[in-house]
Amino acid sequence: ADQFIPAVQQTSFTSSSDESRPVLTAELFSFGDSWEVVATDGFRLSTLSLPYSSAARKLLIPAKALQEVIRIATRKK
């Protein structure tokens, strides 16, 4: 959570809200020698790379879902 929340906050602003191009409404998480987070709306591109080591894997997660996870994770009890 210490690295996940800032990574999403630093990249999610570039994801599109236009549902006619759904792949642009998500963020790409790529795991391998590093952990990369990528988002774009077709005009802007944001990317963040953090040290990480695991088997290569890629996930495409909707930006709205990620923002909801952050809202819940940072909510005060």
Side-chain angles (χ1 to χ4, degrees):
D2 294 337
Q3 292 180 347
F4 177 77
I5 292 172
V8 171
Q9 289 174 332
Q10 291 175 19
T11 56
S12 66
F13 70 94
T14 57
S15 63
S16 177
S17 59
D18 181 10
E19 296 293 331
S20 67
R21 297 166 59 186
V23 73
L24 299 180
T25 63
E27 292 192 47
L28 174 67
F29 289 83
S30 179
F31 301 94
D33 294 335
S34 64
W35 175 36
E36 296 180 15
V37 183
V38 180
T40 186
D41 63 1
F43 300 100
R44 301 175 293 177
L45 174 72
S46 62
T47 181
L48 180 67
S49 183
L50 299 168
Y52 189 80
S53 181
S54 76
R57 184 170 294 187
K58 292 183 180 181
L59 301 170
L60 194 59
I61 304 172
K64 286 184 181 180
L66 290 170
Q67 291 169 357
E68 186 66 17
V69 167
I70 289 173
R71 187 185 67 77
I72 292 168
T74 58
R75 184 174 52 186
K76 304 232 180 201
K77 294 180 182 181

